[in-house]
Amino acid sequence: LLNIGDNYSRKRLPEKALLYLEASLHISEKIGDDEGVAYSYNLLAETYHQSHQYRKSIEYGEKGLLQAKKLGIYELTKEAYHTLYSNYSDLGDFEKALAARNEEIALNDSLYNLEKDKQLRSLQSDYDLERQQHQIDLLNKDKLIQQSEITRGRIMRYLFIGLALLLGLWAFFLVTSNSQKQRLVKLLKAQNEEIVTQNQQLEEINTIKNKLLSIIGHDLRSPISSL
């Protein structure tokens, strides 16, 4: 009902608008909808102003102003002041019109300041959020760097362990190979000593053989000569 009445008021059909707006006001009062009452008062004031019923418009405008102030609805309060200003201007009561206009301007400036404050708070809030996000990003970056350093340290540790194992295996291989080589050298030395001993024995045997052959030849020379 309130919206229909508002539309008729915008179409400059105050008679139809008043029917819906009064019905809306009645229902709002019945159910205790204070905000609906305030909007109904303001729209009734505007519609009565359109139909040049200025006193009636002022009556509803004053009611709407009180209700809007009570609820703290600044835009509605500003609209009520503007309606009162228009009514007093049309009635020629310029003193009250000026007072209403000054109140409207002051409220408008106040709303402008509130909007600016709201924007500043929003900017400050955005800045704080961006700063917090930046700090979080820095912390995450530091965390990633620390994780990277830990990973790199772990890799280096594994590399050192692997290198140590390889060096250990290489040293074990060298020791084993050297030990085996020493055993082979000892074996070869023993064999060489045995060969030398055998050669000496052969030389002794050969000497004995030569002596025997010399003795036998000397002993056989005379009989063979006689024969």
Side-chain angles (χ1 to χ4, degrees):
L1 291 171
L2 183 70
N3 290 333
I4 294 171
D6 186 24
N7 286 323
Y8 277 124
S9 179
R10 291 173 186 273
K11 293 180 70 175
R12 302 294 177 180
L13 298 172
E15 293 80 8
K16 289 186 177 181
L18 288 172
L19 293 175
Y20 287 98
L21 293 175
E22 287 173 357
S24 173
L25 176 61
H26 176 71
I27 293 175
S28 296
E29 290 175 340
K30 185 177 181 180
I31 64 175
D33 181 10
D34 294 336
E35 188 173 329
V37 170
Y39 277 98
S40 298
Y41 281 152
N42 265 29
L43 287 174
L44 282 167
E46 291 178 13
T47 306
Y48 276 118
H49 180 264
Q50 287 180 15
S51 61
H52 307 292
Q53 300 182 51
Y54 303 124
R55 298 295 178 184
K56 199 75 172 175
S57 177
I58 291 172
E59 178 186 349
Y60 280 108
E62 293 288 349
K63 290 180 179 180
L65 179 62
L66 291 174
Q67 190 73 6
K69 284 183 176 180
K70 178 183 175 182
L71 296 174
I73 306 175
Y74 297 111
E75 285 294 334
L76 209 56
T77 304
K78 188 176 72 171
E79 291 176 5
Y81 276 127
H82 184 75
T83 302
L84 291 173
Y85 157 72
S86 300
N87 283 301
Y88 285 127
S89 295
D90 291 338
L91 288 172
D93 191 345
F94 299 113
E95 184 177 354
K96 290 184 178 181
L98 180 60
R101 181 61 174 165
N102 287 336
E103 292 289 342
E104 180 187 359
I105 292 171
L107 184 58
N108 191 55
D109 291 341
S110 178
L111 289 174
Y112 176 78
N113 292 331
L114 286 174
E115 183 64 25
K116 287 299 180 183
D117 290 340
K118 182 179 179 181
Q119 291 176 359
L120 287 174
R121 286 195 297 270
S122 178
L123 289 173
Q124 183 65 36
S125 177
D126 292 341
Y127 170 75
D128 291 339
L129 287 174
E130 288 180 1
R131 185 176 63 181
Q132 291 176 1
Q133 185 62 42
H134 180 64
Q135 291 175 349
I136 291 172
D137 292 339
L138 288 177
L139 290 174
N140 289 332
K141 186 177 180 181
D142 292 340
K143 186 177 179 181
L144 289 175
I145 292 173
Q146 290 176 358
Q147 289 178 350
S148 177
E149 290 178 351
I150 291 171
T151 303
R152 185 175 61 183
R154 188 178 300 158
I155 291 173
M156 293 298 294
R157 186 164 60 251
Y158 289 156
L159 286 175
F160 284 133
I161 292 172
L163 184 60
L165 289 174
L166 289 175
L167 289 174
L169 290 173
W170 184 59
F172 176 75
F173 173 75
L174 288 178
V175 171
T176 304
S177 177
N178 189 38
S179 177
Q180 187 175 4
K181 184 177 179 181
Q182 289 178 356
R183 286 197 301 270
L184 290 174
V185 168
K186 288 181 180 179
L187 181 61
L188 287 173
K189 187 176 181 181
Q191 289 178 352
N192 287 332
E193 290 178 354
E194 185 178 356
I195 290 171
V196 170
T197 302
Q198 289 177 356
N199 286 334
Q200 290 177 353
Q201 291 176 354
L202 288 174
E203 287 179 358
E204 290 177 357
I205 293 171
N206 192 33
T207 301
I208 294 171
K209 179 197 72 172
N210 290 333
K211 287 182 178 181
L212 287 174
L213 289 175
S214 177
I215 292 171
I216 293 171
H218 182 271
D219 290 342
L220 292 175
R221 188 182 300 164
S222 295
I224 290 173
S225 298
S226 301
L227 181 63

